[in-house]
Amino acid sequence: LLSFQGIQLQGIEDLSGTRIVSEKPVAVLVGQVCFCNSTKCNHVFEQLLPVCSWGTTYIIPPLPWKKVDDIVYITASQSTTVLYQRGDLQENVTLTGGNVLQLPVKPSIPVYISANVSIQVVFYSLGAAIPNSSHAFLMNVPDVASYCLMYSLNEQEGFKNFALMVANRSETGAIILDNQPLKDVEWNRVPGTEFVWGMRTLGPAMRSHAVEHASSPFALLSVGTAAMDSYGTPGSCRKM
């Protein structure tokens, strides 16, 4: 490829586990043109992280509007032992390089994932016919080592917007939203960890927010739903 050229690999088969190596840095985007589960056809896509940016520990809070299972894709680049905990249920699995584990995510139950070497974790919201025909989306899950001290996030006009956060249970009282103490958040424990997760409802109009903690890194996911649509993306890190 020359500078800014691209190549597309497309087919009806599952390309999960494909290994891509390049001489110089490239961007790799994956997706599906027409995903249909319990909703109408919708496209999904996400830019993947390179193997050198993968992590070993992940926490996935549940979506605020879900009534059905979603999926987490866990990818290994080499022989890997993965521990995953859904609520109080804990399991172990061994993956070889190129293996992809599909893990169901139950409504209202956080997921804790730990591995002995770095793995990739991608969240796949399948969409649902209820409560408002939300559509599917793909979202990279940040590993615990990449948590930040400050984030920016944007509300999307016409959506029910939410900020999902994962923080150390002893540090939640010091999180600040737009220079004011964070309020109206119910924190729930993540079994097997010292972390808790919480959700803050945001407004329906286009607006930017800053969320920060002075000394304790935390995770922030920006998610939203509307009639026949939904989105999910990690908050934009402004300070490590």
Side-chain angles (χ1 to χ4, degrees), residues 32 34-42 124 126 136:
Q32 192 170 14
C34 181
F35 176 83
C36 296
N37 183 32
S38 55
T39 64
K40 292 184 179 180
C41 178
N42 194 34
Y124 198 175
L126 300 181

Side-chain angles (χ1 to χ4, degrees), residues 13 32 36 38 125 129 148 171 203:
E13 299 297 329
Q32 192 170 14
C36 296
S38 55
S125 174
C148 294
E171 301 291 344

Side-chain angles (χ1 to χ4, degrees), residues 5 14 39-40 75 86 95 100 108-109 153 190 202-203 217 231 238:
Q5 281 189 321
D14 187 353
T39 64
K40 292 184 179 180
T75 306
R86 292 170 289 179
L95 303 177
V100 181
S108 304
I109 299 177
L153 76 156
V190 179
L202 303 173
Y231 73 90
R238 292 175 56 183

Side-chain angles (χ1 to χ4, degrees), residues 78-162:
Q78 57 186 294
S79 180
T80 307
T81 300
V82 178
L83 177 149
Y84 56 91
Q85 185 163 339
R86 292 170 289 179
D88 294 320
L89 177 63
Q90 187 178 106
E91 298 181 55
N92 288 278
V93 65
T94 299
L95 303 177
T96 58
N99 276 174
V100 181
L101 174 66
Q102 296 186 34
L103 175 66
V105 178
K106 301 291 183 181
S108 304
I109 299 177
V111 177
Y112 167 64
I113 301 170
S114 178
N116 65 328
V117 294
S118 296
I119 54 175
Q120 175 181 256
V121 177
V122 178
F123 178 80
Y124 198 175
S125 174
L126 300 181
I130 54 175
N132 61 357
S133 297
S134 62
H135 270 174
F137 64 82
L138 281 174
M139 176 174 60
N140 283 319
V141 179
D143 69 287
V144 170
S146 69
Y147 285 6
C148 294
L149 294 174
M150 184 177 185
Y151 295 90
S152 293
L153 76 156
N154 296 312
E155 298 170 351
Q156 302 300 314
E157 188 171 359
F159 284 76
K160 292 182 179 179
N161 299 287
F162 305 89

Side-chain angles (χ1 to χ4, degrees), residues 5-224:
Q5 281 189 321
I7 182 173
Q8 183 184 74
L9 305 177
Q10 183 174 327
I12 61 174
E13 299 297 329
D14 187 353
L15 299 179
S16 300
T18 301
R19 184 172 184 260
I20 300 172
V21 180
S22 64
E23 294 178 327
K24 297 181 180 180
V26 295
V28 177
L29 289 89
V30 299
Q32 192 170 14
V33 174
C34 181
F35 176 83
C36 296
N37 183 32
S38 55
T39 64
K40 292 184 179 180
C41 178
N42 194 34
H43 73 280
V44 296
F45 70 96
E46 181 62 289
Q47 181 172 332
L48 298 181
L49 297 175
V51 173
C52 62
S53 297
W54 294 1
T56 59
T57 306
Y58 297 83
I59 295 171
I60 306 166
L63 292 178
W65 64 83
K66 293 304 294 187
K67 302 297 183 182
V68 297
D69 291 1
D70 287 314
I71 295 175
V72 166
Y73 289 100
I74 302 174
T75 306
S77 65
Q78 57 186 294
S79 180
T80 307
T81 300
V82 178
L83 177 149
Y84 56 91
Q85 185 163 339
R86 292 170 289 179
D88 294 320
L89 177 63
Q90 187 178 106
E91 298 181 55
N92 288 278
V93 65
T94 299
L95 303 177
T96 58
N99 276 174
V100 181
L101 174 66
Q102 296 186 34
L103 175 66
V105 178
K106 301 291 183 181
S108 304
I109 299 177
V111 177
Y112 167 64
I113 301 170
S114 178
N116 65 328
V117 294
S118 296
I119 54 175
Q120 175 181 256
V121 177
V122 178
F123 178 80
Y124 198 175
S125 174
L126 300 181
I130 54 175
N132 61 357
S133 297
S134 62
H135 270 174
F137 64 82
L138 281 174
M139 176 174 60
N140 283 319
V141 179
D143 69 287
V144 170
S146 69
Y147 285 6
C148 294
L149 294 174
M150 184 177 185
Y151 295 90
S152 293
L153 76 156
N154 296 312
E155 298 170 351
Q156 302 300 314
E157 188 171 359
F159 284 76
K160 292 182 179 179
N161 299 287
F162 305 89
L164 292 175
M165 293 161 285
V166 178
N168 190 290
R169 70 163 61 98
S170 64
E171 301 291 344
T172 57
I175 296 177
I176 295 173
L177 171 64
D178 297 333
N179 298 315
Q180 298 293 327
L182 181 66
K183 298 179 180 179
D184 302 322
V185 175
E186 179 182 349
W187 295 97
N188 308 272
R189 73 184 186 97
V190 179
T193 78
E194 73 275 16
F195 290 93
V196 291
W197 69 272
M199 179 193 73
R200 175 63 152 77
T201 302
L202 303 173
M206 186 69 73
R207 183 184 175 191
S208 298
H209 297 278
V211 188
E212 59 186 307
H213 191 291
S215 59
S216 180
F218 64 102
L220 187 146
L221 304 176
S222 177
V223 300

